[in-house]
Amino acid sequence: MRLSAIRAKLTAICGSRAVLHSKEDLLLYEYDAGLARARPDFVVFPSTTEQVAAVVALASESGLPVVARGAGTGLSGGAIPRSGGIVLAFARMNRILEVDVANQRAVVQPGVVNLELSEHVRPLGFYFAPDPSSQKACTIGGNVAENSGGPHTLASGVTVNHVTGLEVVLADGRIVELGGKSSEAAGYDLTGFFVGSEGTLGITTKIMVKLTRVPEHVSTLLAIYNDVRDAGNTVVEITSAGITPAALEMMDGWTLRAVEAAAHAGYPQDAAAVLLIELEGLRETVDEQVLAVEAACARQNAREVRIAQNDAERQRLWYGRKNAFAAIGRISPSYYTQDGVIPRTRIPQTLEHIQQVAARYSLTIGNVFHAGDGNLHPLILFDDRSPAETEKSIQAGKEILQYCISVGGSLTGEHGVGIEKRDLMPMLFSDEELQVMRRLREALNPRGTLNPEKLIPGARTCMEIRTPQFPGVVS
Amino acid sequence: MPSATEPVTPPQLDELYRTCVHCGLCLQACPTYRELGLEMDSPRGRIRQVMLVETGQLDLGPGVVEHLDRCLACRACETACPSGVRYGEIIESARARIEQQYRRPLPARVARRIGYRIIADFKLLAHAATLLRFYQRSGARRLAQSSGILRLFRLQQTESLAPQIEDDFFFRELGNSFPAEGARRARVAFLAGCIASVAFAELNRATIRVLQKNGVEVWVPEAQGCCGALHVHAGLQAEAQQLARQNIHAMLASDVDAIVTNAAGCGTTLKEYGALLAADPAFAARAGEFAARVRDVNEFLAALGARPPARTLAARVTYQDPCHLAHGQRVRSAPRELLRLIAPNFVEMPRADSCCGSAGIYNIAQNELSMQILDTKMNDVAATQAEILATANVGCMLQLRAGIARRGLNIQVRHVMELLDDACRGA
Ligand SMILES: Cc1cc2nc3c(=O)[nH]c(=O)nc-3n(C[C@H](O)[C@H](O)[C@H](O)COP(=O)(O)OP(=O)(O)OC[C@H]3O[C@@H](n4cnc5c(N)ncnc54)[C@H](O)[C@@H]3O)c2cc1C
Ligand code: SF4
Ligand code: SF4
C-alpha cells in the first residue's frame, strides 16, 4: 500500500485532526529523552480502543511498523520508530475511567500521567505507588511498557506489582482483556508477561491498577558522608538489619553539587556522598526505625544526619533527587544515563570501578541511584556535537554494564532495553534464552510490526556484540 | 539575555537551546501541550523547532510559526525545567527572527503594526480609548453586535475581551506625588501602565492609596510610557528599546527606593531592562540600576511589612498566579501573604500557577485556544468554591472575568491591591 493510501485510511479511522504527516510535524516525533533518533511516516492520536485496533490492523495488513508513544520520557529509545511507520501517540487518551475506593483500584487510559493519578486519588487517602523520577510527565502506559520503578521501588515494588489487568490490542487488531480488577486470575499470568514488554507484544489501551493507602507517617532523612564507601556500607548495614526503608537513594558528591545548583534543596556542597532515606508506616514503627537508621549511619561514619521537620522540607529533599538527571543539562550539553543493577553489597567496589572507567576514557561520570535495590544510574557527560566523544561515552557505558553483569547484576533496572541495550542482551542471556523470547514475540507479533528492532536482538547479531547505534544524534 | 539590537546570533542561541536535554519534564506544565497534546506545542518541541530552524534543518514557514505563535510565553516551562533552560529568551529571539524574516499575511501585518504603535504612545492611546469608550457607550456597540459585522471580521469573541474603558483616565495623576500616611517608610516611583491608565485607573488609584496607607510616598513620573512588554514579546526589539530608554529617563531618580508596578507583565519587562539595553553603551549601566530597583507592588509591600488593615474580608478568597509574577519574577508567596492578612478564608486553587490564557494579546491573536485554556482554568476556579478570585495583573483580570461570564459563575475578580484597599478603608 502506498503511503498516500495509508494516510487516507488513517484519516478515515481517526479523523484528519488526529493524523500528522507533514515533515515539520514528524520531525518533532523523532526523539524521546534518550539518544536515539528516527522519523515516523505518520503520527496518529487515537481517542478510543477501537481506533487503536483499526490502526494496528491496518499496520499489520500493510506491513508498516506501529510504535506506541506516551510522553516520550523514555531513556532507551522505546518510542522511537526506528524504521519509520506509524507512531500511536496516547496524549489524548488520558482519562481516569474509574476510581473504586472500596477495592483500592483505578482504571485508566494509557495516556494518564503518573502523578496526575496520584493527585487525583490523594484527597481520598490513596496514591499510585510506582514513582519514577519522571512522574510529573511520564504516562502510565509508558510505565507499564517499561515496568518502571522509582525511588520507592525498594519497599513497594515496580509497576508490575501494581497492575492487575490490561486491555490490549493484539498485532492483528483483536482486543483482549488480560487479568482484571482482582489480583488473582486463573491460568498464565499474562498481565505480568505484558508488563515490561515495551510495546512489542501489543498496545495497551486500558490499565487496571492498585491504589496504595497514604501511609500514616513518613520520615525522611539525609545522611551526609565524607567517603563514598561509608555510604555504601550503610546501605548494606540497614538492609541486612531487616529494615526496609520506603526509599534508600544515594548521590555522589559530584552529582550533589550539580543538583544543588538547580534545585537549592539544601544539600551539602562539600560531601562525598549522601543517602536519602525514607521510612514510612505506622508512627511508632517509623519512630523506632528512625533511631535504628540514625545509629547505623553513625556507625558507618556519617558526618551528619538531618531529618526533614515538615512536609516542605521533605519535598525539598526529594525535589533535588527527582530532578537530578535533567539538572545535569546545566553543566553538560548531553548526558547518557546508564541503568545497571548490582547486588547492593557490591556498591562500594562498583563505584570505584566506575571512577576507573571515567579516568580511562577521560570522561566525567556522576552517580545517582536507587541504592536500596542496587539500581545504579551513572550519568556520563559528553558533548554530542563531537562524534568521537559520543562514541567514547557509549563505550564507557557498555563497560560499566559489563561490570554490573560480571558481579551478578543486570543490564537495566527500570529504563528498559529498547534500542539502546538491545544488542547487549547476549551478555545477559544465552542463545537458548533469547530464542524463547523470540518465539514468544513471534507468537503474538508474527509479522513483526509492533515496535520492531527493539528489546531482542535479531538472530544473526546475537553472537556479535555490537555497539548500539544512535542514528543522527543532534541535541 | 542576548543583545537586543540585533537578532540573536546563532552561537548564543545555540548555548541557550543546548541546555535542553529533551527530558520532557516540562510537558505537563505547558498549558498548550495540556490542551492539544502535540509535541510541537510543548516547550521541548518549541525549543527543538527553534534549534532546527537555526541550524537550517527546517524552514521558517507557516508550519513552524503556527506553533511558536501559540506559545503563551507564560514561562511555566522555565519553572518546571530542572535543567535551567532559559525558555523566555529562546522564544523572544525566535519571535524577533519571525518578525524580521517571516512575512505574515497582509491584514495580520497591518493590524499588528497599528496596535503596537497605539500603545507605545499615551496620546494616541487616549484617542483610541476614547473611541472605544464611545463605541462601548453609544449605540454603536449594539448596532455592530446585531448587524453581524463583528462576526464578519471574526471579532465577536475578542470584542468581549476588550477592557471596559473607564470614565476617568489615569492621565491626570501623571507628574504628581502622593504623601505617605504616618511616618514615611519609603518613596517609590509608580508605573501607571498604558492599558491600566485607560481601563484600570481606579486600580491605580487604589494601589496608590494602599501604598500611602503603608507609609509610602508615591511619585507618578510624568514622562513615563508603555513598558514595552508587548513589543518585546512580539519581537519588536527596537521599539521596546526606545520605550525602555524613555522610561529610564523619566523614572530613575536618586531619591526613589523602588520603582513599583501593579502589573506583573510590566514588572517582568522592567526587570529585564538591563538585558534589553546591555548592548547600548549610553544606557547599559543605568538600565541595570533601573532593573535592580523594580519591584512588583506585592513584593514591595510584603518585604516592607504591610500594616494590619482596618478589617478583614469574610468572603472565601482564592488566588490565580499571574504567569509574569510566578514564572517571570518568581514571586509567589508575597501576594499570598498579603491576602492571608486580610482574608482568613483563603483557599489554594489547584494549578493556580497555570496560565489563564490571557498572555498579553494572546487572547486576541489565538482566541480559540485561549478560550479553551480559559475554560479548563474555570474548572479549577469553580472547584475552590471561592467568592473572590484575586490576582495581580490586569490582563489576567480581564481574561478571568470573561471566563467567569462564559461559565455563568458568580465570582468577583479583584486585584490584590483592590482588596487591600477595601480592607484599609473598611469599605
Ligand atoms: C529525568 C528522567 C527520569 C527518569 N526516571 C525514571 C525512574 O526513576 N524510573 C524509571 O523506571 N524510569 C525513569 N525514566 C524513564 C521513563 O520516564 C520511563 O521509562 C517512563 O515509564 C516512560 O513513560 P513515557 O510515557 O514517557 O513513555 P515513552 O517514552 O513514550 O515510551 C516508552 C515505551 O513505552 C511504550 N508504550 C508507551 N505507551 C504504550 C502503550 N499504550 N502500549 C504499549 N506500549 C506503550 C513505547 O512504545 C516505548 O517502548 C526517567 C526518564 C527521565 C527523562
Ligand atoms: S525544557 Fe527543560 S524540562 Fe523541558 S525538555 Fe528541555 S530540559 Fe527537559
Ligand atoms: S511559555 Fe508557556 S506556553 Fe510557551 S512553551 Fe512554555 S509553558 Fe508552554
Side-chain angles (χ1 to χ4, degrees):
Chain A
M1 224 181 301
R2 305 224 346 241
L3 286 182
S4 57
I6 291 173
R7 178 175 147 197
K9 291 200 170 175
L10 289 172
T11 307
I13 297 167
C14 295
S16 60
R17 295 189 65 165
V19 181
L20 303 180
H21 53 81
S22 73
K23 178 191 157 198
E24 59 251 57
D25 289 348
L26 298 175
L27 274 171
L28 277 292
Y29 286 85
E30 60 174 22
Y31 58 81
D32 60 5
L35 299 178
R37 301 283 177 272
R39 197 183 314 163
D41 295 303
F42 302 100
V43 180
V44 182
F45 296 84
S47 43
T48 64
T49 300
E50 288 66 34
Q51 290 181 354
V52 174
V55 171
V56 171
L58 171 67
S60 168
E61 278 160 38
S62 52
L64 264 192
V66 215
V67 182
R69 179 180 175 100
T73 68
L75 291 165
S76 54
I80 304 305
R82 205 168 183 202
S83 31
I86 302 168
V87 162
L88 263 177
F90 280 95
R92 293 179 190 168
M93 272 178 82
N94 59 355
R95 278 184 304 130
I96 297 173
L97 300 172
E98 188 189 335
V99 175
D100 177 351
V101 175
N103 293 305
Q104 290 189 218
R105 292 289 185 276
V107 182
V108 301
Q109 290 189 317
V112 169
V113 169
N114 175 301
L115 188 60
E116 301 218 337
L117 175 59
S118 282
E119 282 178 355
H120 185 79
V121 296
R122 198 170 299 272
L124 307 170
F126 295 95
Y127 70 109
F128 179 55
D131 63 336
S133 303
S134 52
Q135 73 185 134
K136 69 179 178 185
C138 65
T139 65
I140 298 180
N143 299 163
V144 167
E146 300 287 2
N147 193 14
S148 294
H152 290 79
T153 291
L154 181 58
S156 56
V158 284
T159 302
V160 72
N161 306 112
H162 301 272
V163 174
T164 59
L166 295 172
E167 178 186 77
V168 171
V169 171
L170 298 175
D172 56 6
R174 276 175 302 156
I175 301 166
V176 294
E177 194 172 306
L178 314 174
K181 270 168 64 180
S182 82
S183 307
E184 308 308 326
Y188 291 136
D189 174 14
L190 294 178
T191 309
F193 174 50
F194 259 77
V195 175
S197 64
E198 302 188 14
T200 62
L201 303 178
I203 305 291
T204 312
T205 45
K206 207 187 275 180
I207 303 153
M208 283 146 255
V209 299
K210 290 185 199 169
L211 299 176
T212 305
R213 212 177 276 283
V214 174
E216 182 191 286
H217 189 58
V218 182
S219 208
T220 308
L221 291 78
L222 184 76
I224 303 166
Y225 296 86
N226 289 333
D227 188 328
V228 185
R229 279 168 300 191
D230 291 335
N233 290 332
T234 308
V235 174
V236 179
E237 173 155 353
I238 292 175
T239 48
S240 41
I243 299 173
T244 307
L248 179 43
E249 301 283 302
M250 183 163 159
M251 273 186 274
D252 68 8
W254 182 86
T255 314
L256 271 181
R257 287 180 277 283
V259 169
E260 185 59 20
H264 310 293
Y267 297 153
Q269 297 292 288
D270 58 338
V274 296
L275 291 177
L276 190 58
I277 308 163
E278 189 153 281
L279 299 158
E280 60 180 40
L282 298 175
R283 183 174 287 274
E284 286 157 29
T285 329
V286 171
D287 288 346
E288 274 169 31
Q289 288 180 338
V290 167
L291 292 177
V293 166
E294 270 186 304
C297 296
R299 274 195 297 280
Q300 298 298 341
N301 312 315
R303 81 169 194 224
E304 189 188 341
V305 179
R306 295 182 194 162
I307 304 181
Q309 294 303 320
N310 51 43
D311 204 48
E313 279 185 36
R314 190 181 155 246
Q315 299 286 350
R316 222 151 55 98
L317 290 178
W318 276 114
Y319 181 82
R321 166 62 189 90
K322 294 226 165 180
N323 287 292
F325 294 170
I328 304 302
R330 290 176 184 252
I331 37 184
S332 174
S334 285
Y335 64 91
Y336 180 27
T337 315
Q338 265 304 351
D339 176 33
V341 182
I342 51 165
R344 60 188 165 224
T345 46
R346 301 296 189 114
I347 289 172
Q349 297 97 294
T350 309
L351 287 178
E352 249 161 63
H353 180 83
I354 291 173
Q355 286 324 314
Q356 284 161 18
V357 172
R360 199 147 14 88
Y361 284 91
S362 327
L363 287 167
T364 303
I365 307 184
N367 283 288
V368 39
F369 59 100
H370 312 309
D373 37 25
N375 186 184
L376 301 176
H377 292 313
L379 296 162
I380 308 174
L381 308 198
F382 69 102
D383 187 338
D384 57 24
R385 284 166 289 192
S386 148
E389 215 174 290
T390 308
E391 180 58 31
K392 217 164 66 167
S393 56
I394 292 169
Q395 280 303 332
K398 196 172 108 181
E399 269 197 39
I400 293 171
L401 288 180
Q402 265 162 339
Y403 182 82
C404 293
I405 293 172
S406 74
V407 298
S410 164
L411 278 177
T412 167
E414 53 184 23
H415 297 169
V417 175
I419 297 175
E420 189 211 354
K421 284 181 223 157
R422 185 187 73 144
D423 295 329
L424 301 178
M425 290 284 272
M427 294 189 337
L428 196 57
F429 298 103
S430 72
D431 231 7
E432 287 69 30
E433 289 158 350
L434 288 173
Q435 202 54 36
V436 173
M437 292 189 204
R438 268 185 219 111
R439 290 186 54 195
L440 286 170
R441 182 177 62 185
E442 272 157 27
L444 283 156
N445 180 10
R447 308 195 55 181
T449 45
L450 294 174
N451 212 357
E453 298 178 66
K454 306 281 172 69
L455 194 57
I456 312 171
R460 260 165 289 119
T461 55
C462 67
M463 297 305 289
E464 45 167 322
I465 298 168
R466 288 192 302 133
T467 308
Q469 298 289 305
F470 299 123
V473 172
V474 199
S475 79
Chain B
M1 172 124 179
S3 140
T5 34
E6 290 173 14
V8 187
T9 50
Q12 286 166 292
L13 194 50
D14 181 71
E15 289 310 317
L16 281 180
Y17 58 63
R18 275 190 173 278
T19 47
C20 174
V21 293
H22 43 85
C23 64
L25 294 196
C26 52
L27 294 180
Q28 293 297 324
C30 175
T32 60
Y33 182 79
R34 286 179 72 94
E35 282 311 321
L36 302 168
L38 295 171
E39 189 68 30
M40 298 84 83
D41 287 306
S42 76
R44 173 171 70 173
R46 293 196 175 106
I47 293 167
R48 183 134 185 117
Q49 288 167 92
V50 172
M51 187 277 285
L52 291 170
V53 167
E54 292 294 329
T55 53
Q57 298 176 70
L58 192 57
D59 291 335
L60 188 64
V64 175
V65 172
E66 178 189 10
H67 303 297
L68 296 178
D69 275 353
R70 275 190 199 151
C71 171
L72 295 148
C74 68
R75 292 163 69 175
C77 46
E78 265 187 42
T79 331
C81 172
S83 184
V85 172
R86 278 145 49 202
Y87 178 84
E89 293 173 33
I90 297 179
I91 190 72
E92 265 163 30
S93 59
R95 286 184 169 168
R97 180 185 279 272
I98 292 173
E99 210 52 47
Q100 289 176 345
Q101 298 180 353
Y102 179 72
R103 274 185 85 74
R104 292 178 186 281
L106 187 67
R109 234 160 45 220
V110 172
R112 290 165 77 87
R113 285 285 158 185
I114 295 176
Y116 294 126
R117 181 70 45 77
I118 289 177
I119 60 166
D121 181 329
F122 272 20
K123 272 201 223 80
L124 272 180
L125 180 65
H127 286 307
T130 310
L131 272 177
L132 183 59
R133 181 166 66 197
F134 171 75
Y135 168 77
Q136 287 175 341
R137 305 286 156 87
S138 70
R141 179 186 222 156
R142 229 165 311 126
L143 185 67
Q145 281 168 342
S146 58
S147 69
I149 287 184
L150 295 177
R151 212 168 325 128
L152 196 63
F153 291 107
R154 299 218 207 121
L155 279 172
Q156 203 170 26
Q157 283 284 335
T158 51
E159 193 253 3
S160 67
L161 286 166
Q164 189 67 32
I165 302 303
E166 292 187 339
D167 289 325
D168 191 5
F169 297 156
F170 189 76
F171 298 132
R172 277 189 290 113
E173 281 81 353
L174 294 179
N176 293 345
S177 275
F178 300 83
E181 277 182 32
R184 194 181 92 167
R185 301 160 79 194
R187 173 177 156 85
V188 302
F190 180 70
L191 181 94
C194 41
I195 305 295
S197 296
V198 297
F200 286 90
E202 260 320 305
L203 166 64
N204 278 352
R205 294 188 185 108
T207 306
I208 292 174
R209 281 193 296 270
V210 169
L211 285 165
Q212 288 178 285
K213 273 264 186 279
N214 279 286
V216 181
E217 181 182 334
V218 185
W219 168 50
V220 188
E222 185 167 12
Q224 61 175 296
C226 167
C227 67
L230 296 180
H231 304 81
V232 174
H233 300 319
L236 301 168
Q237 295 281 336
E239 286 87 340
Q241 285 165 336
Q242 197 41 48
L243 290 167
R245 290 189 196 98
Q246 181 189 336
N247 283 328
I248 292 169
H249 202 72
M251 303 182 79
L252 186 64
S254 57
D255 64 340
V256 301
D257 299 306
I259 295 155
V260 166
T261 171
N262 60 17
C266 305
T268 307
T269 304
L270 296 177
K271 286 182 179 180
E272 286 168 357
Y273 273 5
L276 185 63
L277 293 174
D280 178 346
F283 266 88
R286 289 170 70 201
E289 194 187 330
F290 182 95
R293 275 200 233 173
V294 175
R295 294 286 178 280
D296 180 80
V297 67
N298 290 283
E299 187 185 13
F300 178 78
L301 272 178
L304 186 71
R307 291 175 175 162
R311 60 163 202 133
T312 56
L313 309 172
R316 195 175 168 90
V317 178
T318 193
Y319 175 71
Q320 158 75 24
D321 287 282
C323 298
H324 276 291
L325 209 51
H327 306 298
Q329 302 176 45
R330 312 264 161 132
V331 174
R332 287 164 187 266
S333 59
R336 290 178 167 83
E337 279 168 36
L338 297 176
L339 285 172
R340 286 213 164 88
L341 205 60
I342 54 167
N345 255 328
F346 178 79
V347 286
E348 276 294 347
M349 172 165 75
R351 288 176 282 275
D353 67 350
S354 183
C355 184
C356 63
S358 164
I361 55 160
Y362 189 89
N363 52 10
I364 298 169
Q366 296 283 337
N367 189 253
E368 198 181 319
L369 182 56
S370 165
M371 290 302 118
Q372 223 174 304
I373 292 169
L374 179 59
D375 290 343
T376 306
K377 169 66 54 187
M378 286 303 131
N379 295 337
D380 291 334
V381 172
T384 64
Q385 299 184 317
E387 295 144 88
I388 297 179
L389 172 56
T391 188
N393 191 38
V394 293
C396 312
M397 291 171 71
L398 290 174
Q399 174 88 347
L400 293 168
R401 279 183 189 148
I404 283 166
R406 279 163 74 89
R407 182 65 65 91
L409 296 171
N410 185 18
I411 301 175
Q412 289 181 43
V413 177
R414 307 291 303 279
H415 193 288
V416 179
M417 288 305 125
E418 293 175 328
L419 294 174
L420 278 177
D421 183 45
D422 284 358
C424 288
R425 297 206 287 178

